[in-house]
Amino acid sequence: MEPLSWTGVMAPLMPVLWIAAAVFAAATAIRLVASVFVAEGNRVTQSDGTLAARTGPLAVLDRIARMAFFAVLAYVVTFVVVGIVAGPGAGILGAVAQRLLPVWLALAVTFALSIAFKGRLGLYGKLFDSPIGMVGFALVMFWVYAAIFGAAGLILTHDPLVQISGMKNALPGSPVAGNDGAVYDWYLLGGDNLARDVFSRVIAGAWVVVQIAPMATLFAFMVGITLGLPAAYFGGRLDTVLSFLANLILAFPVILLFYLLVTPEIVQTGLPAWMGAVMFLFPIAFTGILLNARYRTRPRFNVPLLAVVLGAMFWIYLSLISEPGSAISVLPRPLDLFDIPGGILVVFVSVVFVNAPTVLRIVRGLAMDIKTRDYVAAAQTRGERAWYIMLWELLPNARGPLIVDFCLRVGYTTILLGTLGFFGLGLPPESPDWGSTINEGRKLLSIYLHPALPPAIALLTLVLGLNLLADGLREESLRD
Amino acid sequence: MATFILRRIAVMVLTALCLTFIVFTLTNLGPNLEKIAKTQGNARMSDADVASWLAGHGYMRPLPVKYGEWLGVLPGYVIETPAGVRGRCFGDAAEIPPGAPRFCGVLQGDWGNSTVFREPVADIVATRLGLTAKLMFWVMVLMVPSALLIGVLAGMREGSRTDRTLSTVSILSTATPEYVSGVILIAVFASSAVGLKWFKGTATSAMDHATFENFFLPVLTIALYGMGYIARMTRASMAEVMTAQYIRTARLKGVSFRNVVLKHALRNALIAPFTVIMLQFPWLLNGVVIVETLFNYKGFGWTLVQAAGNNDVELLLGVSVVSVIVVLVTQLISDIGYVWLNPRISVA
């Protein structure tokens, strides 16, 4: 097997890409500097008081930048298509594009369906009116699909944990030594310090993030909402105490908190497991109060509903927290639905713990503002109970900012997970998560770039996608 | 105003007490104490040996008492040992020395000794804090003006192409945590693989004499992450000011756009970013820990990692007291500054 080059058959076209990218960068930069000195817009006031539309220098730069951008985009799309067809023939990037085929298909289907039905999809549909939002959504979904298909075994070229001798620090595109056709022929993005495939580890790392980050953020929101709404609505001493506690946690430097919670000695005491046991109660409490507030007046419907929903949630709760051999082991083996590996649970708990106070403060701020509205007064006059007003009047009206913050916070949680991995806290050392991989790769950074850069870029693009998505959502939700 | 500040300081002291108590509790949990005994004494001690070692060094007493001693509101322990007495305030001795103080805690200025560095905690914290202050100073010098410039340029014409470009840049910078931007910057500018080698990939030599070559990358790495957030806040604040009535009045009476921005809008637009910059400190502290580890710059953040990783209780407590005080003081300054800068708010 020959080592792969980066671009293979596409190599002759590469200068086109570089020129287009350079033109785009230059036009954007010149425009940025020029806009300080040259007036924006193309309308010029003439001496007789009439307006004339002229093509100013800035508009010319805009057009150049846009054309260059579309040239780059067209090139990238061509590359992906050629890569899917030619595979390794189009070099490392072509082979990567081919491995990612399920992701491209899923992305294409998602975008086609969403754009076709965007009129009927509410806020989600409106996202497809904003270019920024679409770019963000595409980046996020790229990693979500990559993680899911990667976990399903479609994308990975090698087992992310298996070492192949002779491949230590192998350069990108190196053929696998002594391969007899049992595994994929190349290490596409090279091998790391322990001779594992970097490409497969990056994709497997996405699955760690996609599993933990949204769920942890959701839990943090449940905790924050369940505590923040009453703090704002009732005010008084409850508010003082809850705000004090939230500020207390926020005054901790996050890393100190992680070191205090996630070290093996503390895990041994069972403290994080107990914290989890408390925090995981909040979703049950939240759902229970939510449903009860709504259907309280129809007991024949309410009681069975609550029994079924809360019963199921409580079972999941017990399976979640109970783990044989750990501090909490309440459920007998056959009833235990699933076991979360201890490290993951601790990481999950500490990430929720760090995020919840911020959510509490945001929810409290929003609710303080909304509770002065007339419809809240109307509900109070109708004689609605406090929890009904909080969950069915205040919360739905705070959803816009909360959804935007949710996207941002998933990004922040991803960063936190990376931080944990970077300091080697919580997750097992061979775990393919991006933080740990970056930490391992950085030690040889002055000689080998390929083990550290792919996970760094992966994390960057995912968080960037989430931020752009939040920005697009904010823009679109402000529009109505 | 005086009562406002006093009340804030009271809350601050209460918060600091609670936080140190939490850190104290967590570092004094059973398995942590066992680790201390094994690192200080002998790694192969039996459980009984560990228990007697801990008892002999005053660890086996009730938590509030130990906390009170550390704080300096309760008299330090005195324990009889076979060789004489051992006291918190004077160490091992044949008998209690005549001039030995009864109280020795943080309030008396005695921060204890680090078990990892074998030095008084107060000295370590002071030197390391000095190094980090140097880092932070240059971060601020780089970050604040560039963030404000980006924010003002983006916010003065909301929705324009300039605004979009700069907003995307600031989103990109907030989306890049330090361990990502640091790795990319080292890879591009310091590694022999790319070959530019403009800067050094480690900042260890910057502790003695910082040069542009060895200090720019760590400073840039921290500044980049904080910059985007401040820039976005400045942009929002500037955009809001630019829609105000008095700006329209100024425009209508014929003041040039440049003068409107510089003389009418800028000062009002900078009130909100001031608080944001102050509240950035806790975040920057985080960045400092990552960057100091990444660039091997042995400052305060690096010390935190060492103390926490080795369960060096007294050093960890010292570090957390200092960081908590930094966070709380900046919050206080930001509140006071906001009230002081903004004529529309008055605190009775």
Side-chain angles (χ1 to χ4, degrees), chain A residues 28 31 35 66 244 248 252 254-256 259 265-266 269 271 415 418-419 442 446-447 449 456 460 467 471 474, chain B residues 15 19 26 31-32 35 161-162 165 171 175-176 179-180 186-187 191-194 232 286 294 305 308 316 320:
Chain A
T28 311
R31 194 208 185 278
S35 70
R66 193 174 307 144
F244 178 76
L248 195 66
F252 257 115
V254 177
I255 292 182
L256 179 62
Y259 261 109
E265 284 79 25
I266 302 277
T269 62
L271 181 81
I415 292 181
T419 312
R442 78 183 168 93
S446 58
I447 320 164
L449 303 181
L460 170 61
N467 278 299
D471 212 53
R474 181 187 298 129
Chain B
T15 315
L19 285 178
L26 288 174
N32 274 335
K35 191 171 160 190
R161 180 63 65 106
T162 313
T165 315
I171 290 178
T176 321
Y179 50 89
V180 169
I186 293 179
S191 76
S192 53
V194 170
R232 295 183 76 175
N286 236 344
L294 188 61
V305 171
L316 190 56
S320 42

Side-chain angles (χ1 to χ4, degrees), chain A residues 87-432:
Chain A
I92 297 169
L93 296 176
V96 169
Q98 194 180 37
R99 293 305 298 179
L100 291 171
L101 177 64
V103 177
W104 306 128
L105 289 180
L107 271 182
V109 170
T110 314
F111 268 78
L113 286 180
S114 306
I115 292 174
F117 297 103
K118 74 177 174 184
R120 282 187 256 161
L121 290 170
L123 182 60
Y124 170 75
K126 271 195 240 154
L127 192 62
F128 292 86
D129 291 333
S130 137
I132 291 271
M134 278 208 293
V135 171
F137 185 70
L139 284 173
V140 174
M141 290 321 284
F142 173 84
W143 284 112
V144 170
Y145 287 136
I148 293 172
F149 292 124
L154 284 176
I155 299 174
L156 303 188
T157 52
H158 295 86
D159 186 324
L161 300 182
V162 165
Q163 313 177 357
I164 297 182
S165 64
M167 299 305 285
K168 181 175 169 181
N169 294 324
L171 291 175
S174 302
V176 172
N179 185 22
D180 48 5
V183 288
Y184 194 76
D185 286 332
W186 293 277
Y187 266 18
L188 288 176
L189 297 180
D192 67 3
N193 195 29
L194 290 173
R196 296 168 299 195
D197 181 36
V198 172
F199 173 71
S200 305
R201 283 179 73 76
V202 169
I203 301 291
W207 179 235
V208 178
V209 170
V210 168
Q211 268 177 306
I212 301 181
M215 271 313 264
T217 314
L218 193 67
F219 273 64
F221 265 76
M222 296 272 190
V223 177
I225 289 171
T226 321
L227 295 177
L229 284 177
Y233 188 77
F234 296 118
R237 200 158 291 164
L238 180 73
D239 184 23
T240 316
V241 171
L242 285 175
S243 298
F244 178 76
L245 287 178
N247 289 335
L248 195 66
I249 300 170
L250 288 178
F252 257 115
V254 177
I255 292 182
L256 179 62
L257 206 61
F258 281 158
Y259 261 109
L260 290 175
L261 287 180
V262 189
T263 46
E265 284 79 25
I266 302 277
V267 174
Q268 207 184 325
T269 62
L271 181 81
W274 286 109
M275 279 170 58
V278 174
M279 266 188 290
F280 297 156
L281 276 177
F282 279 94
I284 303 182
F286 178 80
T287 323
I289 299 169
L290 186 78
L291 293 176
N292 189 45
R294 181 83 184 187
Y295 299 112
R296 192 179 52 87
T297 48
R298 292 156 58 193
R300 296 190 54 186
F301 177 69
N302 188 25
V303 174
L305 178 76
L306 281 182
V308 170
V309 172
L310 293 189
M313 284 183 82
F314 198 65
W315 192 8
I316 295 176
Y317 168 77
L318 286 181
S319 322
L320 193 68
I321 59 162
S322 120
E323 201 185 328
S326 80
I328 307 171
S329 182
V330 283
L331 220 53
R333 192 76 223 163
L335 287 179
D336 206 342
L337 291 177
F338 48 85
D339 273 327
I340 309 261
I344 301 241
L345 192 71
V346 172
V347 167
F348 193 88
V349 167
S350 50
V351 170
V352 174
F353 188 69
V354 168
N355 270 321
T358 326
V359 180
L360 188 150
R361 288 222 300 206
I362 293 168
V363 171
R364 178 178 165 272
L366 289 170
M368 288 280 226
D369 175 32
I370 297 174
K371 83 170 181 182
T372 58
R373 302 281 167 85
D374 286 345
Y375 52 78
V376 176
Q380 282 164 338
T381 321
R382 277 206 309 274
E384 300 288 4
R385 302 214 161 179
W387 278 106
Y388 180 87
I389 296 176
M390 279 185 251
L391 290 172
W392 294 95
E393 302 279 352
L394 292 184
L395 191 57
N397 287 295
R399 70 180 184 280
L402 285 184
I403 291 172
V404 171
D405 187 67
F406 185 82
C407 289
L408 287 176
R409 203 147 289 285
V410 174
Y412 182 58
T413 310
T414 310
I415 292 181
L416 284 182
L417 287 175
T419 312
L420 279 170
F422 184 77
F423 285 104
L425 293 169
L427 296 161
E430 77 275 14
S431 152

